[in-house]
Amino acid sequence: MNLSKRLAEHLVTINYEDLPEKAIEASKKCILDTIGVILAANTLGEGCQSFVNITLADGGNEQSTIFGFGQKVPASAAAFANGAMAHSMDFGESHDTAFVHASAPTVPAALAVAEALDHITGKDLITAVTLGNDLVCRLGLSITKNLLEYGWYMPPILGAFGATAAAGKLLHLTEEQMLDAFSLTLCQATCSAEITRNPQTLIRSVRDAFAAKAGVTSALLAKEGVKGFDQPFDGERAFFYSFTRGHFDSNLLMKNLGKQFEGTNVSFKPWPSCRGTHPYIECLLNLLKKYQLDESDVIEMRAVVSEVNQMLICEPLEGKRKPEGAINAKFSLPYVLATTLVHGKVTLEQFTEQSILEPIVLANAQKVKYKVNSNLTLKESLQGYLEIETKDGEVYSEKIERPYGNPLHPMSNEEMIEKFKDCGKYSKKRLTDHALNKVIEQIFHLETIKDVREFTKLL
């Protein structure tokens, strides 16, 4: 079975009319959600301004918009700048079992190419994003080992192939050209797992800049005729060999290809922090509401976590109780639970430089303890169990199987709209309520748009 050829054939032949309504609606939400997160990152995203500065300094053809800044640059450069911002708030969608953030590189790449070309319709954009996100999720689902052990941080690596697929679809690449584009991406896509061990790095937040740019660049080069490999995914020295060392399941990769689109299974984040913290946020909010408790009532919070979440959001414990910088606070279970306990909510404002130094929050972070359940598999790591002990000696507990935002426990359209508007408040250039409402309206009716620049011009 030539997996690469089958994937390329699938991407080239699927059209808008082949997409189920559920997939179309999911992609529209992914586009809205990703643009919103980019707008918030304009002024809140650590390191993002540097990416924008370099992009603007390089100049070039004014093809595609840096969202929130209102300036145009070449398509690959716009993908680079917007890609840096798409995940920096850790507020974009997530696939809870593939462990990817597919839209972070795919949507910036697709929008950049769409703006650079003439008369790309809303249907064209929906199709490209649907296919790109589906590929990222399928690749993630097919991997059967935690590749952190091999030194790879996979979300942006996999995301680069989704960005390539989306850009290639909009450029009408042939099957052979799509294989060339994936080959070119294979020679660019990388991300070291060292980002999970270094609390000072900003790469964890801006990493999708490289994936989005690689996707656009690879697709453009393939369109120009640059040749690649016949089997960029399943060749003897290709993707699965290089990254997974054979730890993948081709049946999971190809299951219901063209019928089931995995973008329908992404979770939209209600809170701007690592997805691994979300079940514990939900546990705590439920307990506070159910038993009418506040910060002064709680003397200890005890979480049960998987081995993966021990590494990502719990250790080193003292460092997590006093995180340095926004991205580290978002990956800190003690901080996230403490700010939830103190404020009764989790918002963008709670991860500003001033907020993460708030004495009462840091004091409450000391109340957080955890223990590891080594029986929890990687696929079960988004289950959450939390106990809280009160000053009266009462112990209350809560368990979450699927955190809020999951397709089986979804955010409403109204909540998605409010999230977008809240993110829009932090745009570099002021966006009026009228402009934000117009963007929302056009994206929710994207299939009727004749040229996607009808809404990108508002950003």
Side-chain angles (χ1 to χ4, degrees):
M1 181 191 301
N2 187 326
L3 298 177
S4 300
K5 181 178 174 59
R6 286 187 62 190
L7 289 171
E9 180 183 15
H10 159 72
L11 293 168
V12 169
T13 56
I14 290 288
N15 295 308
Y16 178 84
E17 290 71 25
D18 301 312
L19 303 179
E21 185 64 26
K22 187 177 179 182
I24 292 169
E25 292 305 310
S27 290
K28 289 192 285 188
K29 290 180 181 179
C30 285
I31 293 166
L32 180 74
D33 194 60
T34 305
I35 292 174
V37 174
I38 290 171
L39 294 178
N42 282 187
T43 55
L44 297 179
E46 293 178 304
C48 293
Q49 185 64 54
S50 297
F51 282 74
V52 173
N53 291 345
I54 290 174
T55 299
L56 292 175
D58 283 346
N61 293 336
E62 296 183 356
Q63 295 178 314
S64 308
T65 306
I66 302 176
F67 299 126
F69 288 80
Q71 294 172 275
K72 289 193 171 186
V73 292
S76 61
F80 185 64
N82 289 329
M85 293 185 280
H87 184 69
S88 69
M89 306 311 299
D90 214 329
F91 206 8
E93 53 84 356
S94 173
H95 194 294
D96 288 350
T97 49
F99 300 102
V100 292
H101 306 280
S103 295
T106 297
V107 170
L111 285 167
V113 172
E115 279 198 279
L117 300 175
D118 288 328
H119 306 301
I120 295 296
T121 68
K123 289 183 178 180
D124 295 331
L125 180 62
I126 289 169
T127 306
V129 169
T130 301
L131 291 172
N133 281 358
D134 181 56
L135 177 62
V136 179
C137 297
R138 286 177 174 275
L139 289 170
L141 289 169
S142 74
I143 295 171
T144 57
K145 188 177 182 67
N146 182 0
L147 299 185
L148 291 174
E149 296 178 24
Y150 295 155
W152 299 118
Y153 190 71
M154 295 307 294
I157 297 173
L158 303 182
F161 293 99
T164 305
K169 185 65 176 179
L170 291 169
L171 288 164
H172 299 291
L173 297 189
T174 65
E175 181 182 317
E176 185 177 353
Q177 288 172 329
M178 195 69 80
L179 292 171
D180 296 335
F182 287 136
S183 303
L184 289 160
T185 295
L186 179 59
C187 295
Q188 299 174 77
T190 187
C191 190
S192 170
E194 191 65 21
I195 66 172
T196 66
R197 300 173 60 86
N198 189 323
Q200 285 75 42
T201 184
L202 297 182
I203 296 173
R204 184 162 52 192
S205 61
V206 298
R207 79 280 176 108
D208 289 300
F210 307 104
K213 183 178 181 179
V216 173
T217 301
S218 296
L220 290 171
L221 288 170
K223 186 73 172 178
E224 289 287 325
V226 178
K227 299 302 296 179
F229 320 127
D230 292 335
Q231 293 180 264
F233 288 110
D234 54 330
E236 289 186 8
R237 296 293 184 270
F239 172 79
F240 284 116
Y241 174 88
S242 301
F243 287 101
T244 77
R245 305 185 191 181
H247 293 286
F248 76 99
D249 186 336
S250 61
N251 292 322
L252 293 176
L253 177 68
M254 308 304 291
K255 183 179 179 181
N256 293 323
L257 185 68
K259 298 179 180 178
Q260 168 65 40
F261 295 89
E262 281 297 325
T264 60
N265 290 324
V266 302
S267 300
F268 294 99
K269 287 187 173 184
W271 305 296
S273 60
C274 171
R275 185 64 170 160
T277 67
H278 285 202
Y280 304 98
I281 294 172
E282 190 172 355
C283 282
L284 182 55
L285 289 173
N286 288 350
L287 289 170
L288 296 177
K289 181 178 180 180
K290 183 176 181 179
Y291 297 105
Q292 295 294 296
L293 303 172
D294 61 29
E295 175 269 334
S296 65
D297 296 310
V298 178
I299 63 170
E300 192 166 275
M301 296 176 278
R302 299 186 287 267
V304 176
V305 303
S306 67
E307 290 179 344
V308 172
N309 277 335
Q310 177 190 19
M311 179 182 65
L312 286 178
I313 61 176
C314 297
E315 291 292 343
L317 184 57
E318 287 310 310
K320 295 295 186 182
R321 284 173 170 166
K322 193 175 181 180
E324 298 179 10
I327 191 65
N328 292 308
K330 292 169 182 286
F331 275 77
S332 165
L333 184 60
Y335 176 82
V336 168
L337 286 178
T339 194
T340 304
L341 179 62
V342 170
H343 298 288
K345 59 184 179 179
V346 183
T347 67
L348 288 165
E349 291 181 357
Q350 288 162 251
F351 294 94
T352 63
E353 184 176 351
Q354 182 177 1
S355 294
I356 62 177
L357 297 175
E358 192 175 3
I360 190 173
V361 172
L362 296 180
N364 276 277
Q366 298 295 321
K367 297 177 180 179
V368 178
K369 297 182 179 180
Y370 75 92
K371 64 179 180 180
V372 177
N373 180 352
S374 58
N375 292 321
L376 289 174
T377 67
L378 181 63
K379 300 298 185 183
E380 295 171 327
S381 62
L382 283 177
Q383 294 180 11
Y385 178 83
L386 184 71
E387 290 182 348
I388 60 174
E389 184 174 347
T390 72
K391 62 186 179 183
D392 297 326
E394 298 290 343
V395 176
Y396 303 112
S397 64
E398 182 86 356
K399 183 176 182 180
I400 296 295
E401 297 282 351
R402 297 184 183 90
Y404 190 41
N406 183 280
L408 298 177
H409 186 24
M411 294 176 66
S412 67
N413 281 355
E414 291 74 22
E415 288 171 319
M416 295 284 298
I417 289 170
E418 285 306 308
K419 175 183 173 180
F420 179 80
K421 289 182 176 180
D422 186 54
C423 287
K425 295 189 302 187
Y426 298 96
S427 172
K428 187 72 171 181
K429 74 171 187 178
R430 183 179 178 273
L431 296 175
T432 64
D433 288 341
H434 174 75
L436 291 173
N437 285 328
K438 189 67 174 176
V439 171
I440 293 166
E441 178 186 357
Q442 291 190 330
I443 292 178
F444 272 114
H445 297 89
L446 191 55
E447 68 276 12
T448 68
I449 300 296
K450 301 302 182 185
D451 190 323
V452 298
R453 288 174 289 198
E454 290 180 33
F455 75 83
T456 59
K457 68 183 179 182
L458 299 171
L459 300 166

Short mmCIF file of all heavy atoms in Angstrom, two decimals, residues 55-85:
data_model
loop_
_atom_site.label_atom_id
_atom_site.label_comp_id
_atom_site.label_asym_id
_atom_site.label_seq_id
_atom_site.Cartn_x
_atom_site.Cartn_y
_atom_site.Cartn_z
N THR A 55 9.03 40.27 9.67
CA THR A 55 8.22 40.11 8.46
C THR A 55 8.04 41.44 7.74
O THR A 55 8.21 41.54 6.51
CB THR A 55 6.86 39.50 8.81
OG1 THR A 55 7.06 38.21 9.41
CG2 THR A 55 5.99 39.35 7.59
N LEU A 56 7.69 42.47 8.48
CA LEU A 56 7.49 43.79 7.89
C LEU A 56 8.79 44.38 7.35
O LEU A 56 8.81 45.04 6.31
CB LEU A 56 6.85 44.74 8.90
CG LEU A 56 5.41 44.40 9.32
CD1 LEU A 56 4.94 45.34 10.42
CD2 LEU A 56 4.47 44.49 8.11
N ALA A 57 9.88 44.15 8.06
CA ALA A 57 11.18 44.68 7.62
C ALA A 57 11.62 44.06 6.30
O ALA A 57 12.27 44.72 5.48
CB ALA A 57 12.23 44.42 8.70
N ASP A 58 11.25 42.80 6.09
CA ASP A 58 11.63 42.13 4.83
C ASP A 58 10.86 42.67 3.64
O ASP A 58 11.34 42.60 2.51
CB ASP A 58 11.39 40.62 4.96
CG ASP A 58 12.46 39.92 5.77
OD1 ASP A 58 13.51 40.55 6.01
OD2 ASP A 58 12.25 38.76 6.16
N GLY A 59 9.66 43.20 3.88
CA GLY A 59 8.87 43.78 2.80
C GLY A 59 8.46 42.75 1.76
O GLY A 59 8.29 41.57 2.05
N GLY A 60 8.30 43.22 0.49
CA GLY A 60 7.91 42.33 -0.59
C GLY A 60 6.51 42.62 -1.10
O GLY A 60 5.88 43.62 -0.72
N ASN A 61 6.03 41.77 -1.99
CA ASN A 61 4.70 41.96 -2.57
C ASN A 61 3.62 41.99 -1.51
O ASN A 61 3.60 41.15 -0.61
CB ASN A 61 4.39 40.83 -3.57
CG ASN A 61 5.29 40.87 -4.78
OD1 ASN A 61 5.83 41.92 -5.13
ND2 ASN A 61 5.47 39.72 -5.42
N GLU A 62 2.72 42.94 -1.62
CA GLU A 62 1.64 43.08 -0.65
C GLU A 62 0.48 42.16 -1.05
O GLU A 62 -0.47 42.55 -1.70
CB GLU A 62 1.19 44.54 -0.57
CG GLU A 62 2.28 45.47 -0.04
CD GLU A 62 1.81 46.90 0.12
OE1 GLU A 62 0.65 47.20 -0.26
OE2 GLU A 62 2.59 47.74 0.60
N GLN A 63 0.59 40.91 -0.61
CA GLN A 63 -0.38 39.90 -1.02
C GLN A 63 -1.37 39.54 0.08
O GLN A 63 -2.58 39.44 -0.18
CB GLN A 63 0.37 38.62 -1.43
CG GLN A 63 1.24 38.75 -2.66
CD GLN A 63 1.97 37.45 -2.95
OE1 GLN A 63 2.55 36.83 -2.05
NE2 GLN A 63 1.96 37.03 -4.21
N SER A 64 -0.87 39.33 1.28
CA SER A 64 -1.69 38.72 2.34
C SER A 64 -1.54 39.48 3.64
O SER A 64 -0.47 40.01 3.95
CB SER A 64 -1.28 37.25 2.53
OG SER A 64 -1.28 36.57 1.29
N THR A 65 -2.61 39.51 4.43
CA THR A 65 -2.71 40.36 5.61
C THR A 65 -2.09 39.74 6.85
O THR A 65 -2.29 38.55 7.12
CB THR A 65 -4.19 40.66 5.91
OG1 THR A 65 -4.81 41.19 4.73
CG2 THR A 65 -4.33 41.66 7.04
N ILE A 66 -1.37 40.56 7.61
CA ILE A 66 -1.02 40.19 8.99
C ILE A 66 -2.20 40.64 9.83
O ILE A 66 -2.44 41.83 10.03
CB ILE A 66 0.27 40.87 9.47
CG1 ILE A 66 1.43 40.52 8.54
CG2 ILE A 66 0.59 40.46 10.91
CD1 ILE A 66 2.72 41.22 8.89
N PHE A 67 -2.98 39.70 10.31
CA PHE A 67 -4.26 40.02 10.93
C PHE A 67 -4.08 40.83 12.21
O PHE A 67 -3.27 40.51 13.07
CB PHE A 67 -5.05 38.74 11.21
CG PHE A 67 -5.38 37.97 9.97
CD1 PHE A 67 -5.04 36.64 9.85
CD2 PHE A 67 -6.00 38.60 8.90
CE1 PHE A 67 -5.33 35.93 8.69
CE2 PHE A 67 -6.30 37.91 7.74
CZ PHE A 67 -5.96 36.57 7.63
N GLY A 68 -4.88 41.89 12.29
CA GLY A 68 -4.81 42.78 13.43
C GLY A 68 -3.85 43.93 13.25
O GLY A 68 -3.94 44.94 13.96
N PHE A 69 -2.95 43.81 12.29
CA PHE A 69 -1.99 44.87 12.00
C PHE A 69 -2.39 45.64 10.74
O PHE A 69 -1.93 46.76 10.53
CB PHE A 69 -0.58 44.31 11.85
CG PHE A 69 0.03 43.85 13.14
CD1 PHE A 69 -0.30 42.61 13.69
CD2 PHE A 69 0.92 44.65 13.84
CE1 PHE A 69 0.24 42.19 14.89
CE2 PHE A 69 1.47 44.24 15.05
CZ PHE A 69 1.13 43.00 15.57
N GLY A 70 -3.21 44.99 9.90
CA GLY A 70 -3.72 45.66 8.71
C GLY A 70 -2.70 45.91 7.63
O GLY A 70 -2.93 46.74 6.75
N GLN A 71 -1.58 45.22 7.67
CA GLN A 71 -0.54 45.40 6.67
C GLN A 71 -0.37 44.11 5.89
O GLN A 71 -0.53 43.01 6.42
CB GLN A 71 0.77 45.81 7.33
CG GLN A 71 0.69 47.20 7.96
CD GLN A 71 1.93 47.54 8.78
OE1 GLN A 71 2.02 47.18 9.95
NE2 GLN A 71 2.87 48.23 8.17
N LYS A 72 0.01 44.26 4.60
CA LYS A 72 0.13 43.10 3.72
C LYS A 72 1.58 42.82 3.37
O LYS A 72 2.38 43.74 3.18
CB LYS A 72 -0.70 43.29 2.45
CG LYS A 72 -2.20 43.23 2.69
CD LYS A 72 -2.97 43.11 1.39
CE LYS A 72 -4.45 42.84 1.64
NZ LYS A 72 -5.19 42.59 0.39
N VAL A 73 1.88 41.55 3.24
CA VAL A 73 3.23 41.06 2.93
C VAL A 73 3.07 39.86 2.00
O VAL A 73 1.95 39.42 1.74
CB VAL A 73 3.97 40.65 4.22
CG1 VAL A 73 4.28 41.87 5.08
CG2 VAL A 73 3.16 39.63 5.02
N PRO A 74 4.17 39.29 1.48
CA PRO A 74 4.04 38.07 0.67
C PRO A 74 3.35 36.95 1.44
O PRO A 74 3.39 36.90 2.67
CB PRO A 74 5.50 37.72 0.35
CG PRO A 74 6.22 39.03 0.39
CD PRO A 74 5.56 39.81 1.49
N ALA A 75 2.74 36.04 0.70
CA ALA A 75 1.93 35.00 1.33
C ALA A 75 2.70 34.18 2.35
O ALA A 75 2.19 33.92 3.46
CB ALA A 75 1.35 34.08 0.25
N SER A 76 3.90 33.74 2.02
CA SER A 76 4.65 32.92 2.97
C SER A 76 5.02 33.72 4.21
O SER A 76 5.08 33.16 5.32
CB SER A 76 5.92 32.37 2.31
OG SER A 76 6.78 33.42 1.89
N ALA A 77 5.24 35.01 4.05
CA ALA A 77 5.57 35.87 5.20
C ALA A 77 4.36 36.08 6.09
O ALA A 77 4.47 36.10 7.32
CB ALA A 77 6.12 37.20 4.71
N ALA A 78 3.19 36.24 5.49
CA ALA A 78 1.96 36.38 6.29
C ALA A 78 1.69 35.10 7.06
O ALA A 78 1.28 35.14 8.23
CB ALA A 78 0.79 36.72 5.38
N ALA A 79 1.90 33.96 6.42
CA ALA A 79 1.73 32.69 7.12
C ALA A 79 2.68 32.60 8.30
O ALA A 79 2.32 32.08 9.37
CB ALA A 79 1.96 31.53 6.15
N PHE A 80 3.88 33.09 8.12
CA PHE A 80 4.90 33.08 9.18
C PHE A 80 4.46 33.93 10.37
O PHE A 80 4.46 33.47 11.52
CB PHE A 80 6.20 33.62 8.59
CG PHE A 80 7.39 33.58 9.50
CD1 PHE A 80 7.91 32.38 9.95
CD2 PHE A 80 8.03 34.75 9.88
CE1 PHE A 80 9.03 32.34 10.77
CE2 PHE A 80 9.15 34.72 10.69
CZ PHE A 80 9.65 33.51 11.14
N ALA A 81 4.06 35.17 10.10
CA ALA A 81 3.65 36.07 11.19
C ALA A 81 2.37 35.60 11.87
O ALA A 81 2.29 35.55 13.10
CB ALA A 81 3.48 37.49 10.65
N ASN A 82 1.37 35.27 11.07
CA ASN A 82 0.10 34.82 11.66
C ASN A 82 0.26 33.46 12.33
O ASN A 82 -0.38 33.18 13.35
CB ASN A 82 -0.98 34.74 10.58
CG ASN A 82 -1.43 36.12 10.12
OD1 ASN A 82 -1.42 37.08 10.89
ND2 ASN A 82 -1.79 36.23 8.85
N GLY A 83 1.12 32.62 11.78
CA GLY A 83 1.38 31.32 12.41
C GLY A 83 2.01 31.46 13.78
O GLY A 83 1.70 30.70 14.71
N ALA A 84 2.89 32.46 13.94
CA ALA A 84 3.51 32.70 15.24
C ALA A 84 2.46 33.06 16.29
O ALA A 84 2.59 32.70 17.46
CB ALA A 84 4.54 33.83 15.13
N MET A 85 1.42 33.76 15.86
CA MET A 85 0.39 34.23 16.80
C MET A 85 -0.73 33.21 17.02
O MET A 85 -1.46 33.30 18.01
CB MET A 85 -0.20 35.54 16.28
CG MET A 85 0.81 36.68 16.29
SD MET A 85 0.09 38.30 15.82
CE MET A 85 0.07 38.15 14.02
#
